[in-house]
Amino acid sequence: MSNAKSWLGLAMSLYFWGLMDLATTVLSGTPTSPGRLEVLLSDKPQSHSRTKRSWVWNQFFVLEEYTGTDPLYVGKLHSDMDRGDGSIKYILSGEGAGIVFTIDDTTGDIHAIQRLDREERAQYTLRAQALDRRTGRPMEPESEFIIKIQDINDNEPKFLDGPYVATVPEMSPVGTSVIQVTATDADDPTYGNSARVVYSILQGQPYFSVDSKTGVIRTALMNMDREAKEYYEVIIQAKDMGGQLGGLAGTTTVNITLSDVNDNPPRFPQKHYQMSVLESAPVSSTVGRVFAKDLDEGVNAEMKYTIVDGDGADAFDINTDPNFQVGIITVRKPLSFESKKSYTLKVEGANPHLEMRFLNLGPFQDTTTVHISVEDVDEPPVFEPGFYFVEVPEDVAIGTTIQIISAKDPDVTNNSIRYSIDRSSDPGRFFYVDITTGALMTARPLDREEFSWHNITVLAMEMNNPSQVGSVSVTIRVLDVNDNAPEFPRFYEAFVCENAKSGQLIQTVSAVDQDDPRNGQHFYYSLAPEAANNPNFTIRDNQDNTARVLTRRSGFRQQEQSVFYLPILISDNGQPVLSSTGTLTIQVCSCDDSGHVLSCSPEAYMLPVSLSRGALIAILACIFVLLVLVLLILSMRRHRKQPYIIDDEENIHENIVRYDDEGGGEEDTEAFDIAAMWNPREAQVGGAPKTRQDMLPEIESLSRYVPQTCAVNSTVHSYVLAKLYEADMDLWAPPFDSLQTYMFEGDGSVAGSLSSLQSATSDSEQSFDFLTDWGPRFRKLAELYGAAEGPAPLW
């Protein structure tokens, strides 16, 4: 009776959980005896020809998630040999035996003593055996069976990949696929509807929809505009049991973003812009910015600005800032307030990336007008032209004007200009520029061989605003003149054998010239006039800037003359022709028959037979020692201490330089003629310059060093520059710009002589008694110079 109740309860449970087929099978096979149960659970065909075993079973079924307090009955093991007297003992082994499952060793009832979860383990494999309780001998062979865990709907669907993030272009058509979500149910999909999932949307309508079977989310509303709403949060539900009442459900969130498309044309918020720029603004400097607003973003909001019209298209450029998509207006060429005071530009902003399906929302471009005012500034002087190239011969006279540099103030005020030279560009001070006229003159002699090019910078400064300074580069090329005579490049020394024959080559000579004539160098060689009739040697010009020195006779002898000095005249082809004399030293040597030198020293012929070389060396050494002794004695005598004798003519307190020349005072009108400084031409009219009649000058005037052409034909600037250069070169001459003034002194002056050289013999006395009234600080001076009682002390 108890077995029947157990099977009935099992069938009811199976029916409740939806396992109707299995419940029907169990009810139709409810056993009335254990033998019947064994046949029902056996998967062996009854028609098998093999002898039937005593007890056979294959598998048991048990529901998961049992929540009762008593152990869950699983099934019963029974052997035909069990007579019910307790002599048979049932034992259980295998997976979960004794831990999950237990067996009554007398009745064979199997119970589950732990909570079972099919999602953790779907089946257990065990082994059963019937033993003789008294002897422990197996009554039947050990057999294996399986306990399967039957599923119930205890797991809700889960979105393993959630939450989801998706993107869909704005303005997409209805039904555009956005993303597919998938929910997983851990229940057994082979039994009932526990794992059959249905999708639905809980939040996100009417913008989106979801396919109930596939979980694909699609757009449900047309013309969704990103600029109106960009982000959407959609909640999707997945429910098992096919969505029926009582099914378990799970949800997930899908964050959907509308991506941008180019559906908004750009528009300028201002139709007119007003800007200003200084006329001194450099090229490529920024004038201002314009901005066309585009509600799109990214590549769809990129702009391209161009100047499409206006009178400033050639004076200004516009570029697009890729980071902020603004149009930057820059200066294209130098501006001038005096030439044009304002400009007008028509600027266009357009999207370079268009989408054909949205062209009907256009046009995707807009224009604006920009007015630019040029502001006046005080500009530095401007040179015309902007670069000077001057060629000047190197023999140009000091003070010669080689170029007129011209600059002007570009402003309306047209201020006066003052010129100067940037001394860092002319460290040698070879040039001078007139401060008012801009005449560039030479201040020192030029030498092409020293500096063939000069690059100087001339500055122009406004008189009213010295901070405004312009500059110009002046390149000066020094042209060559024939001012260097050719000369030997080195010291020439040759030899001639005693057995040399007439016409034999002694030496080939060449020359160098620092000049660089346009037609190239050509040198002419000949013997100097004093050696034109030289009986020993002659010279032949090779017409290739070299010459050969030949012998004119034979029979040279060292004893007669050991060295010959042959002067050679070298001339160039310049204008004027310059020449120099070089000396060729020729030694007479003894040679063998092949012409090889054996000895060039005449010592063997000049020394007496009785005087050897060693004796000569000893004599020279003795002479050297005597000279050293003499010098030592003289040095000691000079450093010997002399008694101190005061010279009557020597003043131990100061050194007085006596000139014995005193100015003539107001009556002296011949000491210096200042007119020569202001008008050198008139100073020279009438013959020689004016000189003093009463005395001879000790220092001659520097004007005698100035060429007459300079003093007569040049300007005051030339004259001063020449005199300045001569004074700089002569370190011992007094400075030319010093002025010696003799006023109210001399014989004709009522003040008498101001010299203190003979003040000790003067009859006049000066009283210093007032020093006593000046306080204690002047007490010492009062004692020294004031009136003293008694006779004066001797100093």
Side-chain angles (χ1 to χ4, degrees), residues 637-654:
R637 291 186 63 183
R638 290 186 60 184
H639 289 81
R640 184 178 302 171
K641 186 175 182 181
Q642 299 291 337
Y644 185 79
I645 302 175
I646 298 178
D647 190 1
D648 295 337
E649 299 296 327
E650 183 179 6
N651 191 335
I652 63 174
H653 296 285
E654 61 182 359

Side-chain angles (χ1 to χ4, degrees), residues 85-223:
D85 55 2
S87 60
I88 301 299
K89 180 180 180 181
Y90 296 99
I91 61 174
L92 189 66
S93 63
E95 299 175 347
I99 300 175
V100 180
F101 301 100
T102 60
I103 187 171
D104 189 323
D105 60 353
T106 301
T107 63
D109 292 333
I110 300 174
H111 292 84
I113 60 176
Q114 288 189 4
R115 183 179 178 181
L116 301 177
D117 189 355
R118 189 199 66 83
E119 287 71 35
E120 293 182 0
R121 193 178 187 114
Q123 66 181 20
Y124 294 86
T125 302
L126 297 100
R127 294 181 298 278
Q129 193 172 25
L131 303 177
D132 189 303
R133 184 181 297 275
R134 184 170 51 85
T135 62
R137 182 176 60 82
M139 303 298 292
E140 294 288 345
E142 185 181 54
S143 298
E144 184 177 86
F145 68 95
I146 297 174
I147 298 178
K148 290 187 176 182
I149 310 303
Q150 289 296 119
D151 183 54
I152 63 174
N153 189 21
D154 60 341
N155 291 278
E156 73 277 2
K158 295 182 179 180
F159 293 92
L160 302 181
D161 298 328
Y164 295 86
V165 177
T167 302
V168 63
E170 63 173 332
M171 311 298 289
S172 296
V174 175
T176 302
S177 175
V178 180
I179 192 175
Q180 183 179 16
V181 296
T182 303
T184 302
D185 197 319
D187 294 327
D188 190 354
T190 60
Y191 289 97
N193 296 326
S194 298
R196 189 163 69 88
V197 177
V198 174
Y199 299 95
S200 61
I201 184 168
L202 301 182
Q203 177 180 314
Q205 295 175 330
Y207 305 104
F208 299 96
S209 64
V210 63
D211 190 290
S212 60
K213 294 182 179 179
T214 62
V216 176
I217 301 176
R218 303 179 185 276
T219 57
L221 189 65
M222 64 183 304
N223 297 331

